[in-house]
Amino acid sequence: MLSSTCRPDPLDDKDAYAQSKLALTMWSMALADTVASNDINVIAVNPGSLLNTKMANEAYGQHWSSADKGANILTELAISDEFADDTGKYFDNDITDGAHGDARGAFGRPHADALNQAAITELEQQTQTVLQSIFA
């Protein structure tokens, strides 16, 4: 569960990145529920792991797919009628027969905390605390 804002010691870069991605997925799931009655579609997305970006190459010295793979799925999810009824779902662009490559992924299950209402509520409370400390 997300607890890094309460930790006395900082997370290493990889753990901090993973926690931030989990938080984005949790917020997306909560937002999908919040705006569902307004005909707004919210889909949580993993655009792909180790895409050919400066960050991936500096951190891991390799990449599995072009950055276009991530950009393409984000564009498709945003504008294609194919996904018009998929609000509140998680699209994992790494799911393709268990292989890494340029093939498009599929809808799947996010990390368990992304569906855990108590964890989402805790994240929302921590977020409000941080925002209040910044804007107080």
Side-chain angles (χ1 to χ4, degrees):
M1 185 171 336
L2 289 169
S3 60
S4 59
T5 58
C6 303
R7 294 171 55 105
D9 55 321
L11 295 171
D12 67 37
D13 291 347
K14 291 177 186 175
D15 287 341
Y17 180 77
Q19 290 285 288
S20 71
K21 296 300 287 186
L22 174 57
L24 289 171
T25 301
M26 293 167 77
W27 282 318
S28 296
M29 296 302 185
L31 181 60
D33 289 342
T34 301
V35 300
S37 64
N38 297 323
D39 199 28
I40 297 172
N41 196 14
V42 179
I43 300 171
V45 183
N46 166 18
S49 297
L50 291 179
L51 299 179
N52 189 9
T53 63
K54 180 180 178 184
M55 182 185 77
N57 287 318
E58 286 180 359
Y60 300 99
Q62 65 175 335
H63 64 274
W64 290 335
S65 301
S66 74
D68 287 342
K69 177 183 179 179
N72 291 342
I73 194 56
L74 292 173
T75 302
E76 286 180 50
L77 290 168
I79 65 174
S80 174
D81 289 338
E82 176 184 355
F83 305 105
D85 297 320
D86 291 320
T87 195
K89 293 183 179 179
Y90 174 75
F91 192 93
D92 187 341
N93 213 23
D94 285 334
I95 298 175
T96 310
D97 300 326
H100 300 290
D102 289 324
R104 184 172 96 177
F107 285 100
R109 289 192 52 81
H111 185 282
D113 280 344
L115 303 174
N116 179 329
Q117 190 55 53
I120 292 170
T121 299
E122 179 185 344
L123 172 63
E124 291 174 329
Q125 291 170 344
Q126 288 179 12
T127 301
Q128 287 303 316
T129 299
V130 170
L131 290 174
Q132 289 171 357
S133 73
I134 293 170
F135 297 109

